[in-house]
Amino acid sequence: MPLVTTTEMFKKAYDGGYAIGAFNVNNMEIVQGITEAAGELNSPLILQVSKGARKYANHTYLVKLVEAALIENNIPIALHLDHGPDFETCKACIDGGFSSVMIDASKYDFNKNIEITKKVVEYAHAHGVVVEAELGKLAGVEDDVNVKDADAMYTQPDEVEEFVSRTGVDSLAIAIGTSHGAFKFKPGTDPQLRFDILDEISRRIPGFPIVLHGASSVSQEYVKIIQANGGNLKDAIGVPEEMLRKAARSSVCKVNIDSDLRLAMTAGVREVLYNNPGAFDPREYLKVGRANVKSIVAHKIKNVLGSDGKA
Ligand code: G3H
Ligand code: 13P
Ligand code: ZN
């Protein structure tokens, strides 16, 4: 099956009350772990590549790994640029075989964000590629940020209609309290997401696909394995899965997960190397990491996102 865009995937996910997992890929074992899980569960899939991944693994290697996954698994897969920082990077991915790109101009003011996003949308649409943009600032809301500043970081619902109509974008990443990485909330506090903001956004742009970044749950099972095998991830906390289930049932059609895969891979590699100091065949430890990636992705698809059987 050739690469697909996210248009059909998102329409079905929106109407069906589930979400598609967008998993970050950086090497062969990660691609294999994710796609084997999605293939066995007959789930549509988004594989996403960051600027850092392109720097680490090289654009061509990543595209070819995804092409191999398409041959091995009979499911719809979109290849997406995650957090494209500028027009040039988006263009390189559009010209270089991606079916979807994100332009992340969220650090700029509203009008500049629109201007940059619109330029990417025009180029992408002329080449059959879809575009995700971001409105609002995704960041941890720290204790020393006052309420007024914290509110300013969330997506402002009264800006979304104008943003979507002026840019022509295909999906929108919003800020409702998630953040990137493995340390999302302060230990001892009650993790909260602003579902009221999500609801208001959905009301203003009905039927429009919303994207949730920073959606790793930070499995305590893998954190414990890492801790027990010489690592230190004390106080790592993610988004409770119940909140992700709720988001997946709503207008959220794409859920971004990277840190959970990193933890799964690292737990496997650490476990093997810590317990077998003489191990030096990379296959020995990478295969355990890969199996963990497969297992966490299967769990997300079946028990959190609900995209199994929807390919
Ligand atoms: O949103 C960020 C993703 O987790 C990608 O991270 O830039 O380290 O590849 P990266
Ligand atoms: P996590 O760090 O929560 O996995 O978020 C990943 C992400 O949003 C990639 O764009
Ligand atoms: Zn992100």
Coordinates of all heavy atoms in Angstrom, one line a residue, residues 135-183:
L135 N -1.3 26.4 17.4 CA -1.7 27.7 17.9 C -1.7 27.5 19.4 O -2.4 26.6 20.0 CB -3.1 28.0 17.4 CG -3.6 29.4 17.6 CD1 -2.7 30.5 17.1 CD2 -5.0 29.5 16.9
G136 N -1.0 28.4 20.1 CA -0.8 28.2 21.6 C 0.6 27.7 21.8 O 1.3 27.3 20.9
K137 N 1.1 27.9 23.0 CA 2.4 27.5 23.3 C 2.5 26.3 24.2 O 2.0 26.3 25.4 CB 3.2 28.6 24.0 CG 3.4 29.7 23.0 CD 4.3 30.8 23.5 CE 4.5 31.9 22.4 NZ 3.3 32.4 21.9
L138 N 3.0 25.2 23.7 CA 3.1 23.9 24.5 C 4.3 24.0 25.4 O 5.4 24.0 25.0 CB 3.3 22.8 23.5 CG 2.8 21.4 23.9 CD1 1.3 21.4 23.7 CD2 3.4 20.3 23.1
A139 N 4.0 24.1 26.7 CA 5.1 24.1 27.7 C 4.6 23.8 29.0 O 3.4 23.9 29.2 CB 5.7 25.5 27.7
G140 N 5.5 23.3 29.9 CA 5.0 23.0 31.2 C 4.6 24.3 31.9 O 5.3 25.3 31.8
V141 N 3.5 24.2 32.6 CA 3.0 25.4 33.3 C 3.7 25.3 34.7 O 3.3 24.5 35.6 CB 1.5 25.5 33.4 CG1 1.1 26.6 34.3 CG2 0.9 25.6 32.0
E142 N 4.7 26.0 34.9 CA 5.5 25.9 36.1 C 4.9 26.7 37.2 O 4.2 27.7 37.0 CB 7.0 26.4 35.9 CG 7.7 25.7 34.7 CD 8.0 24.2 35.0 OE1 7.9 23.8 36.2 OE2 8.2 23.5 34.0
D143 N 5.3 26.4 38.4 CA 4.8 27.1 39.6 C 5.1 28.6 39.6 O 4.3 29.4 40.0 CB 5.5 26.5 40.9 CG 4.7 25.4 41.4 OD1 3.6 25.2 40.9 OD2 5.1 24.8 42.4
D144 N 6.3 29.0 39.0 CA 6.6 30.4 39.1 C 6.0 31.2 37.9 O 6.3 32.4 37.7 CB 8.1 30.6 39.1 CG 8.8 29.8 38.0 OD1 8.1 29.2 37.2 OD2 10.1 29.8 38.0
V145 N 5.2 30.6 37.1 CA 4.5 31.3 36.1 C 3.2 31.7 36.6 O 2.4 30.9 37.2 CB 4.2 30.4 34.8 CG1 3.4 31.2 33.8 CG2 5.6 29.9 34.2
N146 N 2.8 33.0 36.6 CA 1.6 33.4 37.2 C 0.4 33.1 36.4 O 0.6 32.7 35.2 CB 1.6 34.9 37.6 CG 1.6 35.8 36.4 OD1 1.0 35.5 35.4 ND2 2.4 36.9 36.5
V147 N -0.8 33.1 36.9 CA -2.0 32.6 36.3 C -2.2 33.3 34.9 O -2.6 32.7 33.9 CB -3.2 32.7 37.2 CG1 -4.5 32.3 36.5 CG2 -3.0 31.9 38.4
K148 N -2.0 34.6 34.9 CA -2.2 35.4 33.7 C -1.3 34.8 32.6 O -1.7 34.6 31.4 CB -1.9 36.8 33.9 CG -2.6 37.8 33.0 CD -2.7 39.2 33.6 CE -2.6 40.2 32.5 NZ -1.3 40.5 32.0
D149 N 0.0 34.6 32.9 CA 1.0 34.1 31.9 C 0.6 32.7 31.5 O 0.7 32.3 30.3 CB 2.4 34.1 32.5 CG 3.0 35.5 32.5 OD1 2.3 36.4 32.0 OD2 4.0 35.7 33.1
A150 N 0.2 31.9 32.4 CA -0.1 30.5 32.1 C -1.3 30.5 31.2 O -1.3 29.7 30.2 CB -0.5 29.7 33.4
D151 N -2.3 31.3 31.4 CA -3.5 31.4 30.5 C -3.1 31.8 29.1 O -3.7 31.3 28.2 CB -4.5 32.4 31.1 CG -5.4 31.7 32.1 OD1 -5.3 30.5 32.2 OD2 -6.2 32.4 32.8
A152 N -2.1 32.6 29.0 CA -1.7 33.1 27.7 C -1.0 32.0 26.9 O -0.9 32.1 25.7 CB -0.7 34.3 27.9
M153 N -0.5 31.0 27.5 CA 0.2 29.9 26.8 C -0.8 28.9 26.2 O -0.5 28.3 25.2 CB 1.1 29.2 27.8 CG 2.3 30.0 28.0 SD 3.4 29.5 29.4 CE 3.5 27.8 29.2
Y154 N -2.0 28.8 26.8 CA -3.0 27.9 26.3 C -3.5 28.5 25.0 O -3.5 29.7 24.8 CB -4.2 27.7 27.2 CG -3.9 27.1 28.6 CD1 -4.1 27.7 29.8 CD2 -3.3 25.8 28.6 CE1 -3.8 27.1 31.0 CE2 -3.0 25.2 29.8 CZ -3.2 25.8 31.0 OH -2.9 25.2 32.1
T155 N -4.0 27.6 24.1 CA -4.7 28.1 22.9 C -5.9 28.9 23.2 O -6.7 28.5 24.1 CB -5.1 26.9 22.0 OG1 -3.9 26.1 21.8 CG2 -5.6 27.3 20.7
Q156 N -6.0 30.1 22.6 CA -7.2 30.9 22.9 C -8.3 30.5 21.9 O -8.1 30.7 20.7 CB -6.8 32.4 22.6 CG -5.6 32.9 23.4 CD -5.8 33.0 24.9 OE1 -6.7 33.6 25.3 NE2 -5.0 32.3 25.6
P157 N -9.4 30.0 22.4 CA -10.4 29.5 21.5 C -10.9 30.6 20.5 O -11.3 30.2 19.4 CB -11.5 29.0 22.4 CG -10.8 28.7 23.7 CD -9.7 29.7 23.8
D158 N -10.9 31.8 20.9 CA -11.5 32.8 20.0 C -10.5 33.2 18.9 O -10.9 34.0 18.0 CB -11.9 34.1 20.8 CG -10.7 34.8 21.5 OD1 -9.6 34.2 21.4 OD2 -10.9 35.8 22.2
E159 N -9.4 32.5 18.8 CA -8.5 32.7 17.7 C -8.5 31.6 16.6 O -8.0 31.8 15.5 CB -7.0 32.8 18.2 CG -6.7 34.1 19.0 CD -5.2 34.2 19.4 OE1 -4.5 33.2 19.3 OE2 -4.8 35.3 19.8
V160 N -9.1 30.5 17.0 CA -9.0 29.3 16.1 C -9.7 29.4 14.7 O -9.2 29.0 13.7 CB -9.4 28.0 16.8 CG1 -8.5 27.7 17.9 CG2 -10.8 28.0 17.2
E161 N -10.9 30.0 14.7 CA -11.7 30.1 13.5 C -10.9 30.9 12.4 O -10.7 30.6 11.3 CB -13.0 30.7 13.7 CG -14.0 29.8 14.4 CD -15.0 30.6 15.2 OE1 -14.6 31.2 16.2 OE2 -16.2 30.7 14.9
E162 N -10.4 32.1 12.9 CA -9.7 33.0 12.0 C -8.4 32.3 11.5 O -8.0 32.4 10.4 CB -9.3 34.3 12.7 CG -8.7 35.3 11.8 CD -8.3 36.6 12.5 OE1 -8.8 36.8 13.7 OE2 -7.5 37.4 11.9
F163 N -7.7 31.6 12.5 CA -6.4 30.9 12.1 C -6.6 29.9 11.1 O -5.9 29.8 10.0 CB -5.8 30.3 13.4 CG -4.4 29.7 13.1 CD1 -3.3 30.6 13.2 CD2 -4.2 28.4 12.8 CE1 -2.0 30.0 12.9 CE2 -3.0 27.9 12.5 CZ -1.9 28.7 12.6
V164 N -7.7 29.0 11.3 CA -7.9 27.9 10.3 C -8.4 28.5 9.0 O -7.9 28.0 7.9 CB -9.0 27.0 11.0 CG1 -9.6 26.1 9.9 CG2 -8.4 26.2 12.1
S165 N -9.3 29.5 9.0 CA -9.8 30.0 7.7 C -8.7 30.8 6.9 O -8.6 30.6 5.7 CB -11.1 30.7 7.9 OG -10.8 32.0 8.5
R166 N -7.9 31.5 7.6 CA -6.9 32.3 6.9 C -5.7 31.5 6.4 O -5.0 31.8 5.4 CB -6.4 33.5 7.8 CG -7.3 34.7 7.8 CD -6.9 35.8 8.7 NE -5.6 36.4 8.4 CZ -4.9 37.2 9.2 NH1 -5.4 37.5 10.4 NH2 -3.7 37.6 8.8
T167 N -5.4 30.4 7.1 CA -4.2 29.6 6.7 C -4.6 28.4 5.7 O -3.8 28.0 4.9 CB -3.5 28.9 7.9 OG1 -4.5 28.1 8.6 CG2 -2.9 29.9 8.9
G168 N -5.8 27.9 5.9 CA -6.2 26.8 5.0 C -5.6 25.5 5.5 O -5.6 24.5 4.8
V169 N -5.2 25.5 6.8 CA -4.5 24.3 7.4 C -5.4 23.1 7.5 O -6.7 23.3 7.6 CB -3.8 24.8 8.7 CG1 -4.9 24.8 9.8 CG2 -2.7 23.9 9.1
D170 N -4.9 21.9 7.6 CA -5.7 20.7 7.6 C -6.0 20.1 9.0 O -6.9 19.4 9.2 CB -5.1 19.6 6.8 CG -4.8 20.0 5.3 OD1 -5.8 20.0 4.6 OD2 -3.7 20.4 5.0
S171 N -5.1 20.5 9.9 CA -5.3 20.0 11.3 C -4.6 21.0 12.2 O -3.7 21.7 11.8 CB -4.8 18.6 11.6 OG -3.4 18.5 11.3
L172 N -5.0 21.0 13.5 CA -4.5 22.1 14.4 C -4.0 21.5 15.7 O -4.8 20.8 16.4 CB -5.5 23.1 14.7 CG -5.1 24.3 15.5 CD1 -4.1 25.2 14.7 CD2 -6.3 25.2 15.8
A173 N -2.7 21.7 16.1 CA -2.2 21.3 17.4 C -2.6 22.4 18.4 O -2.3 23.6 18.1 CB -0.7 21.1 17.3
I174 N -3.1 22.0 19.5 CA -3.5 23.0 20.5 C -2.7 22.8 21.8 O -2.2 21.7 22.1 CB -5.0 23.0 20.8 CG1 -5.4 21.6 21.3 CG2 -5.7 23.4 19.5 CD1 -6.8 21.6 21.9
A175 N -2.7 23.8 22.7 CA -2.0 23.7 24.0 C -3.1 23.7 25.1 O -3.8 24.7 25.2 CB -1.1 24.9 24.2
I176 N -3.3 22.6 25.7 CA -4.3 22.5 26.8 C -3.7 22.0 28.1 O -4.4 21.4 29.0 CB -5.5 21.7 26.4 CG1 -5.2 20.2 26.0 CG2 -6.3 22.4 25.4 CD1 -6.4 19.3 25.9
G177 N -2.3 22.0 28.2 CA -1.7 21.6 29.4 C -0.7 20.4 29.3 O -0.1 20.1 30.3
T178 N -0.6 19.8 28.1 CA 0.4 18.8 28.0 C 1.7 19.5 27.6 O 1.8 20.6 27.3 CB 0.0 17.8 26.8 OG1 0.0 18.6 25.6 CG2 -1.3 17.1 27.0
S179 N 2.8 18.7 27.8 CA 4.1 19.2 27.4 C 5.0 18.1 26.9 O 4.7 16.9 27.2 CB 4.7 19.9 28.6 OG 4.9 19.0 29.7
H180 N 6.1 18.4 26.3 CA 7.0 17.3 25.8 C 7.8 16.8 26.9 O 8.1 17.4 27.9 CB 7.9 17.9 24.7 CG 7.1 18.3 23.4 ND1 6.9 19.6 23.1 CD2 6.5 17.5 22.5 CE1 6.2 19.6 21.9 NE2 5.9 18.4 21.6
G181 N 8.3 15.5 26.7 CA 9.3 14.9 27.6 C 8.6 14.0 28.6 O 7.4 13.7 28.6
A182 N 9.5 13.7 29.6 CA 9.1 12.7 30.6 C 8.7 13.3 32.0 O 8.4 12.6 32.9 CB 10.2 11.6 30.8
F183 N 8.8 14.6 32.1 CA 8.6 15.3 33.3 C 7.5 16.4 33.1 O 7.8 17.5 33.0 CB 9.9 15.9 33.9 CG 11.0 14.9 34.1 CD1 11.8 14.6 33.0 CD2 11.1 14.2 35.3 CE1 12.8 13.7 33.2 CE2 12.1 13.3 35.4 CZ 13.0 13.0 34.4

